[in-house]
Amino acid sequence: MIDLRSLREDPETAREAQRRRNASPALVDDILAADESRRSAIASFERLRAEQKSLGKQVAAASGPEERQALLDKTREVAAQVKTFEARQTAAEAEFSRLVAQLPNLASLEAPAGGEDDFVVLEHIGTPRDFAAEGFEPLDHIELGKRLGAIDIERGAKVSGARFYYLVGVGAELELALVAMAMDQAREDGFVPMLPPALVKPRAMEGTGFLGQAAADVFHLPDDDFYLVGTSEVALAAYHADEILDADSLPRRYVAFSPCYRREAGSYGKDTRGIFRVHWFDKVEMFTYTTVEASYDEHRRLLGWEKEWFAKLELPYRVIDTAAGDLGLSAVRKFDCEAWIPTQGKYRELTSTSNCTDFQARRLNIRGRFADGVRPVATLNGTLMASARTIVALLENHQQADGSVRVPKALQPYLHGRSVLEPVDTPL
RNA sequence: GGAGGAUUCGCAUAGUGGCCUAGUGCGCACGCUUGGAAAGCGUGUUGGGUGCAAGCCCACGCGGGUUCGAAUCCCGCAUCCUCCGCCA
């Protein structure tokens, strides 16, 4: 949720932010109206409640039975009214919360206005290989995965259905190597390593903004009311819920490895081949708690660490500034790093970093104790390594004419010094 | 899964219907004292809502209920601890 005071004082900024997201500015006015009736309900209730309390004290101090009885009669009446107005206040607050939960964070003025296709390319780094000049047709990751004995999609479908896979042999080793390398990088940069739960309660999901429009994309276990996280961001943000962090302890940086589960409800027919879009993958995620003021620089820093990662993997990629309409509910701005996928002839998202300012922190009640008082902190997240897609990009970009795959130098120590992954005798 | 116990201010605790406007100790901050420190003494020390403000209201794990009045009584739930059972 966003800061109410600023919403009241300057509703036009919020309306404009809604327009930039292609969302309804009327929601802002509905919220302000609900806030109005909520506050008047609070005032009425509190006035009655104060009267009730003072009468209650007079009852205790009453001098005789008649005086006492008279006070009791009067008080009974007030007590009934208090109950009525309390219900009215509860209802007004519920309506207010319902509306305010729908309002996304105010998109940054620097984020391009518009929808999914209105992103701005910030830079290109590296050059896609010219396979024609090298004299061979690149194979896709499905074929490469089979030949290396690394990715078993057929059996994934047999056991778990569409959008599931097994990483086998060198494929499994490759993921573990990538995870170890990513965790090492982040740890060296000062992140505290974490292994968080992948099942969370509704509060954590709601607080990170995944139960609004994004709810259809989330797996839910109704018998136990658990959600499967789509990213460890959820567990990392909720980690400090209801806490007041010392200003000295900021920024706090965590890096988590966890499985990620996504229903991919809105993407039927998209990326149906291979393991580019799957119901489960593993991810190494960076997460920062800091101040709102420091969040903008921190966002650039997270992007910098992602770029460092791409450089180590020697992948050609571009960085885009996501348009306001394509931001998640919580984010004010988002940068994606998109790797070149040779057989698709396109750049595709591998990592993503969002600045959520104090939006998630307000919902999860995470504050900092500063010299001038207690205020919500800012939260930011950034992917370091999303396993399935990273493997796709690595195999396709570093494949060689004989069907083997070159291992980038930085990754070699994590694969016991291997510099090439060779096809196996019996492909999958 | 079963049986008991617990949950109060950063920590430890007191509190069994109105004297709780939640006390005390520790810790922390500031001051006095001192050559400096410790000790001692004194003062302060949760958060939220609402209001221009004074103030008022809320919160004793969470949600209901009883009552004129609930930290206190009743019901439900959650979490933690102990024991039993099962288990990677």
Side-chain angles (χ1 to χ4, degrees):
Chain A
M1 63 187 282
I2 72 164
D3 181 33
L4 258 182
R5 251 171 251 280
S6 60
L7 189 72
R8 268 183 228 144
E9 282 163 20
D10 183 12
E12 189 44 36
T13 294
R15 288 190 203 103
E16 179 55 24
Q18 284 291 88
R19 284 184 209 109
R20 294 169 58 78
R21 276 183 183 260
N22 294 338
S24 165
L27 178 59
V28 173
D29 295 285
D30 292 347
I31 288 170
L32 288 174
D35 180 46
E36 197 63 40
S37 48
R38 165 184 148 271
R39 282 190 294 160
S40 97
I42 288 172
S44 314
F45 165 73
E46 288 189 352
R47 194 166 16 81
L48 277 163
R49 178 73 177 145
E51 188 183 348
Q52 180 190 32
K53 285 179 74 162
S54 111
L55 282 168
K57 275 191 187 132
Q58 292 175 44
V59 170
S63 52
E66 295 94 44
E67 189 190 342
R68 194 183 152 83
Q69 192 52 51
L71 281 167
L72 279 180
D73 291 343
K74 181 156 186 218
T75 286
R76 222 182 298 271
E77 210 173 293
V78 174
Q81 277 184 294
V82 162
K83 201 156 273 189
T84 307
F85 278 82
E86 187 176 21
R88 209 168 285 181
Q89 178 184 333
T90 305
E93 282 177 337
E95 173 63 4
F96 172 75
S97 317
R98 191 184 67 79
L99 287 170
V100 91
Q102 295 171 26
L103 187 71
N105 203 348
L106 302 182
S108 164
L109 290 173
E110 290 167 288
E116 195 178 347
D117 301 325
D118 297 311
F119 61 84
V120 167
V121 177
L122 297 180
E123 57 182 329
H124 282 89
I125 293 161
T127 311
R129 278 166 67 186
D130 184 348
F131 285 95
E134 292 183 41
F136 74 101
E137 188 76 13
L139 300 174
D140 67 16
H141 71 275
I142 302 166
E143 188 56 32
L144 287 165
K146 278 185 192 166
R147 295 191 188 192
L148 296 174
I151 307 172
D152 194 334
I153 294 172
E154 278 178 33
R155 290 195 179 89
K158 175 177 75 179
V159 174
S160 298
R163 296 202 193 281
F164 283 95
Y165 57 95
Y166 284 72
L167 292 179
V168 185
V170 75
E173 288 183 75
L174 184 56
E175 169 170 323
L176 292 176
L178 287 165
V179 168
M181 181 168 146
M183 293 297 281
D184 276 356
Q185 177 183 315
R187 189 175 39 75
E188 283 160 18
D189 289 327
F191 288 76
V192 176
M194 281 227 193
L195 295 173
L199 263 58
V200 298
K201 296 192 283 181
R203 166 93 192 284
M205 219 60 187
E206 177 71 45
T208 40
F210 287 101
L211 288 189
Q213 301 239 298
D217 202 31
V218 173
F219 283 111
H220 182 218
L221 304 178
D223 286 350
D224 305 281
D225 207 10
F226 279 130
Y227 290 91
L228 275 74
V229 299
T231 163
S232 52
E233 169 193 346
V234 176
L236 289 173
Y239 184 66
H240 285 302
D242 299 319
E243 293 182 26
I244 299 177
L245 307 173
D246 277 332
D248 299 347
S249 72
L250 301 175
R252 285 178 187 244
R253 298 193 178 98
Y254 298 106
V255 59
F257 167 78
S258 85
C260 303
Y261 301 94
R262 302 187 179 183
R263 292 186 66 226
E264 294 297 346
S267 57
Y268 301 114
K270 256 197 218 168
D271 300 311
T272 48
R273 279 175 48 75
I275 61 166
F276 191 81
R277 187 178 298 278
V278 287
H279 286 312
W280 147 74
F281 61 96
D282 295 315
K283 184 153 66 74
V284 174
E285 178 87 357
M286 301 177 284
F287 195 91
T288 303
Y289 292 86
T290 187
T291 61
V292 172
E293 300 75 57
S295 70
Y296 307 100
D297 285 345
E298 180 70 7
H299 197 197
R300 291 290 179 170
R301 238 172 263 130
L302 288 169
L303 178 59
W305 284 313
E306 292 179 352
K307 291 169 70 174
E308 182 185 338
W309 174 253
F310 272 82
K312 285 195 237 175
L313 294 187
E314 301 171 29
L315 294 171
Y317 69 103
R318 68 179 187 185
V319 181
I320 67 165
D321 194 348
T322 305
D326 202 27
L327 294 171
L329 189 79
S330 305
V332 299
R333 203 173 188 197
K334 178 167 76 135
F335 302 120
D336 289 354
C337 292
E338 300 184 325
W340 177 255
I341 306 296
T343 62
Q344 296 187 12
K346 283 192 280 198
Y347 287 98
R348 302 298 306 271
E349 177 186 338
L350 250 63
T351 70
S352 176
T353 177
S354 295
N355 183 359
C356 298
T357 60
D358 54 0
F359 186 87
Q360 293 179 330
R362 283 178 196 281
R363 291 184 159 211
L364 289 166
N365 190 28
I366 308 167
R367 292 161 294 169
R369 193 184 301 284
F370 302 98
D372 60 339
V374 172
R375 280 181 282 117
V377 297
T379 58
L380 301 96
N381 60 79
T383 319
L384 198 48
M385 198 290 291
S387 99
R389 288 188 178 186
T390 301
I391 289 171
V392 169
L394 274 179
L395 296 189
E396 293 206 10
N397 280 288
H398 296 325
Q399 63 181 294
Q400 307 183 102
D402 60 359
S404 67
V405 172
R406 185 176 65 82
V407 178
K409 206 159 199 69
L411 188 55
Q412 290 176 13
Y414 293 93
L415 282 167
H416 314 292
R418 255 182 293 185
S419 57
V420 178
L421 308 180
E422 302 282 0
V424 293
D425 294 337
T426 50
L428 291 168

